[in-house]
Amino acid sequence: MHGSPNGSPATPVTDIDGARFRSVLGRFATGVVAITAIEPETGRPTGLAANSFTSVSLEPPLVAFCVAHTSTSWPRLRPAERLCINILSEPQLEVCKRLAIKGGDKFADIEWSGSPNGSPVIEGALAWIECTVEQEHVAGDHVIVVARVHALDKHHEGDPLLFYKGGYGRFDG
Ligand SMILES: Cc1cc2nc3c(=O)[nH]c(=O)nc-3n(C[C@H](O)[C@H](O)[C@H](O)COP(=O)(O)O)c2cc1C
């Protein structure tokens, strides 16, 4: 074990407690996206909220996000021809919470319209990014999904929904 700069022993690299992991990683502020698609089986929109979204590459245009193996929405989203990443705005907290609940018709109270390719773009989102799954990498209890961007646009103007220390906040820029 190596010492830390203040002389106390550093945290061992094994045996990381889940609560500690979450509280330390929660100090990394993120935005929140809604990953949506038209479910091929029902023809209805579905989705999930995620803060693990990131831009990856411009040439080719790639983005990525991580999905838990326990997600019941991902197996319904995955077979869709296109996925749509909706960047959520601060007034969309209820949309975020709705899409984070397991089960039921997640879109029952959510207003949306079709992108030019028919993907679900949620009313009030700051932007949408339409993509297809390019690679999937199993990483522990999640899968890292790398997706190729085919179309994207700004949508509404406004402030982003931020996720920090397990709670929601706003950007005071
Ligand atoms: C702010 C926020 C961020 C989330 N980020 C992720 C994420 O990056 N990956 C993930 O698999 N689930 C994430 N979730 C959980 C999913 O939104 C959802 O609750 C989970 O997939 C269970 O629902 P499902 O069974 O319908 O998929 C997040 C939830 C919230 C509220």
Side-chain angles (χ1 to χ4, degrees):
M1 193 187 292
H2 302 287
S4 65
N6 64 12
S8 60
T11 306
V13 289
T14 55
D15 211 14
I16 302 286
D17 167 68
R20 185 189 184 92
F21 186 88
R22 272 191 283 272
S23 78
V24 172
L25 272 293
R27 293 184 168 219
F28 183 59
T30 67
V32 184
V33 298
I35 303 167
T36 66
I38 300 292
E39 191 183 352
E41 208 163 282
T42 60
R44 294 276 308 142
T46 190
L48 64 87
N51 70 330
S52 57
F53 174 74
T54 187
S55 152
V56 174
S57 159
L58 179 59
E59 198 51 63
L62 300 172
V63 295
F65 52 88
C66 305
V67 185
H69 297 312
T70 50
S71 170
T72 54
S73 293
W74 180 241
R76 297 163 64 189
L77 292 165
R78 177 67 184 83
E81 215 167 281
R82 298 267 167 120
L83 297 175
C84 194
I85 313 289
N86 291 255
I87 301 178
L88 297 184
S89 62
E90 197 254 326
Q92 289 185 297
L93 177 57
E94 286 312 312
V95 170
C96 166
K97 289 183 174 172
R98 188 71 199 86
L99 292 179
I101 295 171
K102 259 186 204 296
D105 179 1
K106 292 194 176 196
F107 267 72
D109 300 318
I110 295 179
E111 274 186 62
W112 62 282
S113 57
S115 73
N117 280 306
S119 293
V121 175
I122 299 175
E123 190 55 33
L126 299 180
W128 56 268
I129 301 148
E130 203 171 43
C131 49
T132 53
V133 175
E134 182 101 347
Q135 299 163 12
E136 287 170 282
H137 306 276
V138 172
D141 52 19
H142 279 60
V143 56
I144 303 169
V145 180
V146 178
R148 180 179 286 254
V149 177
H150 297 280
L152 73 173
D153 209 350
K154 294 174 187 166
H155 203 45
H156 287 266
E157 288 305 321
D159 292 329
L161 178 62
L162 299 184
F163 190 63
Y164 179 60
K165 288 186 174 175
Y168 299 93
R170 57 186 303 146
F171 179 66
D172 269 332

